[in-house]
Amino acid sequence: VSLWRVGDEVAPRHILSGHSDVAAALVFDGTGTILASGSHDCTIRLWDVESGATRAILRTHTRKIRWLAMSADGYTLASGGHDNFVCLWDVREPAPSHDYLLHTLLGHDYSLYHLAFRADGRTLATVGIDQTIYLWDVASGQRQDRLQVYRSEVHMMDFSPDGRWLASGGDDSIVHLWDVAAALSRTEPSADQMRQSFYGHTRSIYALAFHPTHDWVASAGREPAISLWRTSDGRLIRTL
């Protein structure tokens, strides 16, 4: 793993050595002082950004790690990969004696494709090859709801800044918008919380991003174009 200072094109600030296989996922904590890396060697390393030293090695996964996500407050790290489960870690105080593992989230039948925290950090969305999105309560590790995507595999998700909506996209070339607020307010889980679907792509979708202040969501994939949608009515605003 190479750690660069922006604007310095000569050499990286640190070369972070330790993984024995591909480092497939990276994420900083909320303070920017710790970098987490997830690897195909089944470990997560927490690195001290200032010194480049390893602060901790997290070992629970049994197969390749593909995704990491950090809560907005920087306290909770989520990890997932080919072993079908998700780990939640407390990374507030990296130290050898610290008990990092908070919860192991079981429910997916196949490998994980993506993880995303809601803005408040209290809900985590996970999706895998099993075409199912799960919503989890971060504090308890309990599953809150199950959103079924019937058509195809989902590759990407993103929460709206206010936490009300979850956008998903994948091999069906459709952007799906889920009403997460409604799903979490129900006393019983429901598989039907899809608000609307945005049609326009012709190939798989691999990237999604909500605008921070407008009711827009951007989507992109295997096509050489980016689509910008208005979430209030599903209108395609423009193609970039």
Side-chain angles (χ1 to χ4, degrees), residues 197-209:
S197 300
F198 306 154
Y199 298 87
H201 288 282
T202 59
R203 303 181 70 181
S204 298
I205 296 170
Y206 285 96
L208 290 167

Side-chain angles (χ1 to χ4, degrees), residues 206-224:
Y206 285 96
L208 290 167
F210 276 94
H211 192 280
T213 58
H214 291 72
D215 64 336
W216 301 342
V217 63
S219 58
R222 289 189 177 275
E223 303 158 294

